[in-house]
Amino acid sequence: MALRIGDTAPDFEVDTTAGKIKFHEFIGDSWVALFSHPKDFTPVCTTELGAVSKLEPQFNERGVKLIGLSVDSVDDHKKWLLDVNETQGTEVKYPMIADKDRVVSKLYGMLDVNTADQVDAKGLPLTVRSFFIIDNNKKVRFIATYPASAGRNFFEFLRVIDSLKHTTHEKIATPANWKPGDDAVAVPSLTTEKAKEIFGADSVTEVKPYLRIVKGDAVVKMKGKVSI
């Protein structure tokens, strides 16, 4: 069965560039971003690892650990990371999983089984570009899949994390193209009256009974103070 939002993230023990890791122990009390790359020493993956490395402080500020994955060996990872650091002007510090046997890739449904040229020398499938956000309760909160040819926009994943953190702790949802500081919307289970009580009467506008706009400054002010 495919892994879905709300499922418990499968646990595993695996070799990484930071040594052997038990995934649930690695998560601990943090959130985690787990992301796959089709293969070491490839152009798009090289730019992606560099981009994530440069954004790592922003993920950390949000309480999110990073861990990458490719189907190559730890030794290959370490050699490749030298290239990444050199060409992308960074120093990759997050661990990279060596998933040569595709154990993690199968658990998380990452394998590209339908693209003929996405195989290794042994004919085994490579991974697609998957991205999972997993919370401190080990629950999958977000899943994205990109084809091998399309590099990901990692700023979007930061935006999603910001949205998830808000909607976890406050009775709001985030509308289309939302970014931190923008207006949000009250969740459907919340009455307009209750929304005004929580966020302030001047901060809530009822457009329709089901569409109540909450001013961005009120959302920021209430961050973490209201539980769903």
Side-chain angles (χ1 to χ4, degrees):
M1 184 182 294
L3 194 63
R4 295 172 296 192
I5 289 174
D7 287 346
T8 298
D11 195 15
F12 53 84
E13 185 172 352
V14 70
D15 291 324
T16 78
T17 51
K20 192 171 290 291
I21 281 177
K22 293 182 178 179
F23 189 52
H24 280 192
E25 290 183 4
F26 175 78
I27 295 173
D29 296 327
S30 300
W31 288 40
V32 167
L34 166 66
F35 50 100
S36 63
H37 299 272
K39 189 168 179 55
D40 294 2
F41 302 104
T42 53
V44 177
C45 296
T46 298
T47 63
E48 287 197 325
L49 259 67
V52 175
S53 177
K54 291 174 182 177
L55 290 175
E56 185 169 15
Q58 295 192 46
F59 282 97
N60 290 342
E61 287 172 4
R62 292 161 170 81
V64 180
K65 297 177 181 177
L66 297 170
I67 185 166
L69 175 147
S70 177
V71 296
D72 296 284
S73 67
V74 168
D75 285 344
D76 281 343
H77 284 352
K78 289 181 176 179
K79 293 173 184 175
W80 179 35
L81 290 178
L82 294 176
D83 286 355
V84 173
N85 293 341
E86 176 192 348
T87 62
Q88 305 305 303
T90 188
E91 181 181 354
V92 175
K93 296 179 180 178
Y94 54 83
M96 283 287 295
I97 294 168
D99 194 30
K100 289 184 67 176
D101 296 328
R102 276 61 170 180
V103 172
V104 181
S105 301
K106 290 176 182 177
L107 279 175
Y108 282 77
M110 299 179 182
L111 293 174
D112 189 352
V113 297
N114 293 318
T115 307
D117 62 351
Q118 286 300 104
V119 296
D120 66 10
K122 297 180 180 179
L124 296 174
L126 305 179
T127 64
V128 289
R129 300 188 189 281
S130 295
F131 197 99
F132 298 85
I133 298 172
I134 300 161
D135 69 18
N136 57 311
N137 293 314
K138 319 302 190 286
K139 298 295 185 181
V140 177
R141 301 295 301 274
F142 174 85
I143 303 171
T145 301
Y146 289 60
S149 59
R152 289 162 283 194
N153 182 339
F154 292 96
F155 289 102
E156 167 63 4
F157 302 135
L158 289 170
R159 190 190 74 89
V160 170
I161 290 166
D162 287 333
S163 172
L164 288 172
K165 292 276 189 171
H166 270 304
T167 56
T168 295
H169 298 295
E170 294 99 46
K171 292 180 180 292
I172 62 162
T174 55
N177 299 322
W178 175 91
K179 58 184 182 297
D182 286 355
D183 293 350
V185 294
V187 296
S189 62
L190 196 66
T191 65
T192 300
E193 291 72 22
K194 188 64 176 178
K196 289 182 177 181
E197 179 184 326
I198 292 172
F199 298 104
D202 294 336
S203 296
V204 178
T205 301
E206 183 181 277
V207 180
K208 294 286 185 180
Y210 59 86
L211 178 59
R212 288 76 51 77
I213 307 300
V214 181
K215 289 183 179 179
D217 56 354
V219 172
V220 172
K221 188 183 298 183
M222 292 300 297
K223 186 175 182 181
K225 295 182 181 180
V226 180
S227 297
I228 293 176

